Amino acid sequence: MNFKQLWNCPVFHAIHGVVLLSAVATQSVVILWNEVFPSLPDIFSLSAFALGLLFYMSGLILIFKRYAETEWSLMEDWTNTNCIIHGALSITGLAIVSTKMFQEEILLYYWMLVLVIFCLVEGLEIVRAIKRVRQKGWREGIFSYNVSQWSRNFTFGMFYAFTMVMHKNTYHKNNFYEFHELFLSLWAWVVLIALVIEIGLWAEEKVIKKKTMAKQGIY
């Protein structure tokens, strides 16, 4: 119903990566079913998986439609939550592995596709960060807290998790084993550092807010 409403009467400022959480939630259900109910008929998992793909494609088209039909700037209108574009693909990959619905060779090609999209989206994020730093400075540009920034921690961690299960893939061991071995050892630090930074920004925001309320006599 919400997708129908967005299609019929799009509110462009509200269309961003968050709409793809519908796909994330659906694929997480597929993974849960496979772990908790391994004897569940395949039709349930396949149906939910297909529904998740439908949600993803619908959300992605809406996002493209927003940026194609409105004037926007990378610095102000590209949102943090757009990193879910690749995060939703990563959890979809986990769903594929958990259900074993595709051949290992196809799964490897899918992982490579996710890697390319990851690089494209995060490349835009880097350009956006540079622009924000030049105009607003380091503090306001990239080191100010916003709750939407947690989406990046999720997507980075999800890509790590997807790569980790790919590392156990028998087909991959003849192709990308050494690359995945190096990538996992380095990306684990990236995920950890990003998480520590975000926790630090969140804690600082709480302290500043508490001090401001104390000065105003609000408790």
Side-chain angles (χ1 to χ4, degrees):
M1 291 176 63
N2 289 329
F3 271 113
K4 181 180 179 181
Q5 183 177 353
L6 288 174
W7 276 108
N8 294 336
C9 185
V11 182
F12 289 110
H13 71 274
I15 298 177
H16 46 82
V18 165
V19 299
L20 299 176
L21 288 179
S22 55
V24 171
T26 306
Q27 301 300 3
S28 66
V29 169
V30 174
I31 297 171
L32 177 65
W33 283 352
N34 186 74
E35 293 295 327
V36 179
F37 308 109
S39 60
L40 194 70
D42 293 340
I43 186 63
F44 289 96
S45 295
L46 291 175
S47 298
F49 178 81
L51 182 62
L53 289 181
L54 177 63
F55 286 156
Y56 181 82
M57 294 307 301
S58 298
L60 192 63
I61 292 173
L62 283 170
I63 293 173
F64 283 154
K65 183 179 176 65
R66 171 198 172 174
Y67 290 113
E69 297 183 357
T70 60
E71 294 184 3
W72 62 283
S73 67
L74 180 62
M75 191 178 73
E76 298 297 340
D77 299 310
W78 183 266
T79 65
N80 293 318
T81 56
N82 283 342
C83 62
I84 303 176
I85 291 174
H86 61 76
L89 291 178
S90 293
I91 196 171
T92 298
L94 282 177
I96 293 174
V97 174
S98 66
T99 55
K100 299 181 176 64
M101 64 179 66
F102 292 146
Q103 295 179 353
E104 295 170 344
E105 182 177 1
I106 296 177
L107 184 59
L108 178 58
Y109 288 135
Y110 178 82
W111 181 87
M112 294 171 64
L113 172 65
V114 177
L115 176 63
V116 170
I117 295 176
F118 180 95
C119 291
L120 291 175
V121 173
E122 294 307 319
L124 285 175
E125 288 286 354
I126 292 174
V127 174
R128 173 174 174 255
I130 293 174
K131 287 179 175 292
R132 288 179 62 87
V133 169
R134 286 178 177 175
Q135 181 167 335
K136 301 184 178 183
W138 287 94
R139 178 65 178 174
E140 187 178 349
I142 58 176
F143 288 117
S144 58
Y145 177 75
N146 188 295
V147 67
S148 64
Q149 294 165 350
W150 290 104
S151 59
R152 184 166 295 107
N153 296 100
F154 157 72
T155 56
F156 279 25
M158 190 55 61
F159 188 55
Y160 179 87
F162 181 35
T163 305
M164 184 171 61
V165 297
M166 281 296 304
H167 190 58
K168 302 175 183 179
N169 189 285
T170 55
Y171 179 84
H172 134 269
K173 289 183 178 179
N174 297 323
N175 295 270
F176 277 26
Y177 186 84
E178 293 183 359
F179 175 76
H180 279 173
E181 190 82 15
L182 176 63
F183 178 84
L184 287 170
S185 63
L186 295 176
W187 197 248
W189 286 103
V190 174
V191 173
L192 177 61
I193 292 172
L195 180 61
V196 170
I197 291 175
E198 195 59 36
I199 292 174
L201 293 176
W202 171 80
E204 184 183 39
E205 177 75 8
K206 291 295 183 181
V207 171
I208 293 175
K209 185 176 180 180
K210 185 175 181 179
K211 288 182 178 179
T212 301
M213 294 176 64
K215 289 180 179 180
Q216 296 175 349
I218 303 174
Y219 300 96

PDB file of all heavy atoms in Angstrom, residues 33-49:
ATOM      1  N   TRP A  33      13.936 -17.998   8.568  1.00  0.00           N
ATOM      2  CA  TRP A  33      13.202 -19.237   8.300  1.00  0.00           C
ATOM      3  C   TRP A  33      14.150 -20.402   8.034  1.00  0.00           C
ATOM      4  O   TRP A  33      13.928 -21.511   8.503  1.00  0.00           O
ATOM      5  CB  TRP A  33      12.282 -19.045   7.096  1.00  0.00           C
ATOM      6  CG  TRP A  33      11.034 -18.281   7.410  1.00  0.00           C
ATOM      7  CD1 TRP A  33      10.596 -17.902   8.634  1.00  0.00           C
ATOM      8  CD2 TRP A  33      10.074 -17.807   6.465  1.00  0.00           C
ATOM      9  NE1 TRP A  33       9.411 -17.205   8.520  1.00  0.00           N
ATOM     10  CE2 TRP A  33       9.057 -17.135   7.205  1.00  0.00           C
ATOM     11  CE3 TRP A  33       9.963 -17.874   5.086  1.00  0.00           C
ATOM     12  CZ2 TRP A  33       7.959 -16.550   6.590  1.00  0.00           C
ATOM     13  CZ3 TRP A  33       8.868 -17.279   4.476  1.00  0.00           C
ATOM     14  CH2 TRP A  33       7.881 -16.628   5.218  1.00  0.00           C
ATOM     15  N   ASN A  34      15.193 -20.141   7.261  1.00  0.00           N
ATOM     16  CA  ASN A  34      16.120 -21.208   6.906  1.00  0.00           C
ATOM     17  C   ASN A  34      16.864 -21.747   8.129  1.00  0.00           C
ATOM     18  O   ASN A  34      17.175 -22.937   8.196  1.00  0.00           O
ATOM     19  CB  ASN A  34      17.125 -20.695   5.877  1.00  0.00           C
ATOM     20  CG  ASN A  34      18.039 -21.799   5.362  1.00  0.00           C
ATOM     21  OD1 ASN A  34      17.638 -22.644   4.592  1.00  0.00           O
ATOM     22  ND2 ASN A  34      19.285 -21.775   5.815  1.00  0.00           N
ATOM     23  N   GLU A  35      17.133 -20.849   9.103  1.00  0.00           N
ATOM     24  CA  GLU A  35      17.854 -21.271  10.299  1.00  0.00           C
ATOM     25  C   GLU A  35      16.941 -21.937  11.317  1.00  0.00           C
ATOM     26  O   GLU A  35      17.302 -22.932  11.945  1.00  0.00           O
ATOM     27  CB  GLU A  35      18.539 -20.055  10.944  1.00  0.00           C
ATOM     28  CG  GLU A  35      19.656 -19.455  10.116  1.00  0.00           C
ATOM     29  CD  GLU A  35      20.825 -20.403   9.938  1.00  0.00           C
ATOM     30  OE1 GLU A  35      21.093 -21.190  10.872  1.00  0.00           O
ATOM     31  OE2 GLU A  35      21.462 -20.366   8.869  1.00  0.00           O
ATOM     32  N   VAL A  36      15.742 -21.392  11.495  1.00  0.00           N
ATOM     33  CA  VAL A  36      14.835 -21.891  12.538  1.00  0.00           C
ATOM     34  C   VAL A  36      13.966 -23.043  12.045  1.00  0.00           C
ATOM     35  O   VAL A  36      13.672 -23.983  12.787  1.00  0.00           O
ATOM     36  CB  VAL A  36      13.951 -20.734  13.052  1.00  0.00           C
ATOM     37  CG1 VAL A  36      12.983 -21.237  14.129  1.00  0.00           C
ATOM     38  CG2 VAL A  36      14.804 -19.609  13.600  1.00  0.00           C
ATOM     39  N   PHE A  37      13.553 -22.976  10.773  1.00  0.00           N
ATOM     40  CA  PHE A  37      12.677 -24.010  10.209  1.00  0.00           C
ATOM     41  C   PHE A  37      13.310 -24.605   8.941  1.00  0.00           C
ATOM     42  O   PHE A  37      12.846 -24.358   7.822  1.00  0.00           O
ATOM     43  CB  PHE A  37      11.300 -23.430   9.872  1.00  0.00           C
ATOM     44  CG  PHE A  37      10.651 -22.681  10.993  1.00  0.00           C
ATOM     45  CD1 PHE A  37      10.523 -21.293  10.950  1.00  0.00           C
ATOM     46  CD2 PHE A  37      10.161 -23.356  12.109  1.00  0.00           C
ATOM     47  CE1 PHE A  37       9.920 -20.595  11.976  1.00  0.00           C
ATOM     48  CE2 PHE A  37       9.559 -22.657  13.148  1.00  0.00           C
ATOM     49  CZ  PHE A  37       9.438 -21.280  13.086  1.00  0.00           C
ATOM     50  N   PRO A  38      14.401 -25.367   9.099  1.00  0.00           N
ATOM     51  CA  PRO A  38      15.098 -25.895   7.921  1.00  0.00           C
ATOM     52  C   PRO A  38      14.248 -26.849   7.080  1.00  0.00           C
ATOM     53  O   PRO A  38      14.525 -27.050   5.897  1.00  0.00           O
ATOM     54  CB  PRO A  38      16.312 -26.627   8.525  1.00  0.00           C
ATOM     55  CG  PRO A  38      15.908 -26.923   9.944  1.00  0.00           C
ATOM     56  CD  PRO A  38      15.043 -25.783  10.360  1.00  0.00           C
ATOM     57  N   SER A  39      13.224 -27.439   7.694  1.00  0.00           N
ATOM     58  CA  SER A  39      12.366 -28.372   6.956  1.00  0.00           C
ATOM     59  C   SER A  39      11.189 -27.683   6.280  1.00  0.00           C
ATOM     60  O   SER A  39      10.342 -28.347   5.671  1.00  0.00           O
ATOM     61  CB  SER A  39      11.851 -29.465   7.900  1.00  0.00           C
ATOM     62  OG  SER A  39      11.089 -28.898   8.960  1.00  0.00           O
ATOM     63  N   LEU A  40      11.127 -26.357   6.389  1.00  0.00           N
ATOM     64  CA  LEU A  40      10.032 -25.608   5.768  1.00  0.00           C
ATOM     65  C   LEU A  40      10.086 -25.785   4.249  1.00  0.00           C
ATOM     66  O   LEU A  40      11.167 -25.724   3.647  1.00  0.00           O
ATOM     67  CB  LEU A  40      10.151 -24.129   6.120  1.00  0.00           C
ATOM     68  CG  LEU A  40       8.935 -23.237   5.838  1.00  0.00           C
ATOM     69  CD1 LEU A  40       7.812 -23.583   6.810  1.00  0.00           C
ATOM     70  CD2 LEU A  40       9.320 -21.761   5.982  1.00  0.00           C
ATOM     71  N   PRO A  41       8.935 -26.046   3.605  1.00  0.00           N
ATOM     72  CA  PRO A  41       8.931 -26.205   2.146  1.00  0.00           C
ATOM     73  C   PRO A  41       9.587 -25.024   1.442  1.00  0.00           C
ATOM     74  O   PRO A  41       9.433 -23.868   1.851  1.00  0.00           O
ATOM     75  CB  PRO A  41       7.436 -26.297   1.816  1.00  0.00           C
ATOM     76  CG  PRO A  41       6.810 -26.838   3.064  1.00  0.00           C
ATOM     77  CD  PRO A  41       7.603 -26.258   4.190  1.00  0.00           C
ATOM     78  N   ASP A  42      10.342 -25.312   0.378  1.00  0.00           N
ATOM     79  CA  ASP A  42      11.094 -24.280  -0.336  1.00  0.00           C
ATOM     80  C   ASP A  42      10.210 -23.172  -0.891  1.00  0.00           C
ATOM     81  O   ASP A  42      10.665 -22.041  -1.071  1.00  0.00           O
ATOM     82  CB  ASP A  42      11.900 -24.909  -1.477  1.00  0.00           C
ATOM     83  CG  ASP A  42      13.007 -25.812  -0.964  1.00  0.00           C
ATOM     84  OD1 ASP A  42      13.386 -25.669   0.218  1.00  0.00           O
ATOM     85  OD2 ASP A  42      13.498 -26.653  -1.748  1.00  0.00           O
ATOM     86  N   ILE A  43       8.958 -23.492  -1.163  1.00  0.00           N
ATOM     87  CA  ILE A  43       8.070 -22.500  -1.770  1.00  0.00           C
ATOM     88  C   ILE A  43       7.917 -21.259  -0.893  1.00  0.00           C
ATOM     89  O   ILE A  43       7.780 -20.136  -1.401  1.00  0.00           O
ATOM     90  CB  ILE A  43       6.679 -23.127  -2.067  1.00  0.00           C
ATOM     91  CG1 ILE A  43       5.807 -22.141  -2.842  1.00  0.00           C
ATOM     92  CG2 ILE A  43       6.023 -23.578  -0.785  1.00  0.00           C
ATOM     93  CD1 ILE A  43       6.346 -21.768  -4.197  1.00  0.00           C
ATOM     94  N   PHE A  44       7.970 -21.433   0.435  1.00  0.00           N
ATOM     95  CA  PHE A  44       7.833 -20.290   1.336  1.00  0.00           C
ATOM     96  C   PHE A  44       9.040 -19.365   1.218  1.00  0.00           C
ATOM     97  O   PHE A  44       8.889 -18.142   1.082  1.00  0.00           O
ATOM     98  CB  PHE A  44       7.666 -20.777   2.781  1.00  0.00           C
ATOM     99  CG  PHE A  44       6.345 -21.422   3.064  1.00  0.00           C
ATOM    100  CD1 PHE A  44       6.203 -22.795   3.024  1.00  0.00           C
ATOM    101  CD2 PHE A  44       5.232 -20.654   3.370  1.00  0.00           C
ATOM    102  CE1 PHE A  44       4.984 -23.396   3.285  1.00  0.00           C
ATOM    103  CE2 PHE A  44       4.005 -21.243   3.642  1.00  0.00           C
ATOM    104  CZ  PHE A  44       3.877 -22.619   3.584  1.00  0.00           C
ATOM    105  N   SER A  45      10.234 -19.950   1.284  1.00  0.00           N
ATOM    106  CA  SER A  45      11.451 -19.142   1.184  1.00  0.00           C
ATOM    107  C   SER A  45      11.571 -18.494  -0.185  1.00  0.00           C
ATOM    108  O   SER A  45      11.928 -17.312  -0.302  1.00  0.00           O
ATOM    109  CB  SER A  45      12.685 -20.010   1.459  1.00  0.00           C
ATOM    110  OG  SER A  45      12.690 -20.481   2.787  1.00  0.00           O
ATOM    111  N   LEU A  46      11.263 -19.249  -1.223  1.00  0.00           N
ATOM    112  CA  LEU A  46      11.367 -18.701  -2.579  1.00  0.00           C
ATOM    113  C   LEU A  46      10.371 -17.574  -2.804  1.00  0.00           C
ATOM    114  O   LEU A  46      10.692 -16.564  -3.445  1.00  0.00           O
ATOM    115  CB  LEU A  46      11.148 -19.821  -3.606  1.00  0.00           C
ATOM    116  CG  LEU A  46      12.247 -20.880  -3.691  1.00  0.00           C
ATOM    117  CD1 LEU A  46      11.845 -21.996  -4.656  1.00  0.00           C
ATOM    118  CD2 LEU A  46      13.561 -20.255  -4.132  1.00  0.00           C
ATOM    119  N   SER A  47       9.178 -17.725  -2.264  1.00  0.00           N
ATOM    120  CA  SER A  47       8.163 -16.681  -2.414  1.00  0.00           C
ATOM    121  C   SER A  47       8.578 -15.407  -1.690  1.00  0.00           C
ATOM    122  O   SER A  47       8.460 -14.302  -2.229  1.00  0.00           O
ATOM    123  CB  SER A  47       6.814 -17.171  -1.884  1.00  0.00           C
ATOM    124  OG  SER A  47       6.362 -18.294  -2.610  1.00  0.00           O
ATOM    125  N   ALA A  48       9.071 -15.559  -0.459  1.00  0.00           N
ATOM    126  CA  ALA A  48       9.522 -14.395   0.305  1.00  0.00           C
ATOM    127  C   ALA A  48      10.735 -13.749  -0.362  1.00  0.00           C
ATOM    128  O   ALA A  48      10.851 -12.517  -0.411  1.00  0.00           O
ATOM    129  CB  ALA A  48       9.856 -14.798   1.741  1.00  0.00           C
ATOM    130  N   PHE A  49      11.629 -14.575  -0.888  1.00  0.00           N
ATOM    131  CA  PHE A  49      12.807 -14.056  -1.581  1.00  0.00           C
ATOM    132  C   PHE A  49      12.393 -13.237  -2.801  1.00  0.00           C
ATOM    133  O   PHE A  49      12.913 -12.135  -3.038  1.00  0.00           O
ATOM    134  CB  PHE A  49      13.708 -15.218  -1.997  1.00  0.00           C
ATOM    135  CG  PHE A  49      14.927 -14.798  -2.768  1.00  0.00           C
ATOM    136  CD1 PHE A  49      16.048 -14.322  -2.101  1.00  0.00           C
ATOM    137  CD2 PHE A  49      14.956 -14.870  -4.151  1.00  0.00           C
ATOM    138  CE1 PHE A  49      17.181 -13.928  -2.804  1.00  0.00           C
ATOM    139  CE2 PHE A  49      16.077 -14.476  -4.856  1.00  0.00           C
ATOM    140  CZ  PHE A  49      17.191 -14.001  -4.189  1.00  0.00           C
TER     141      PHE A  49
END
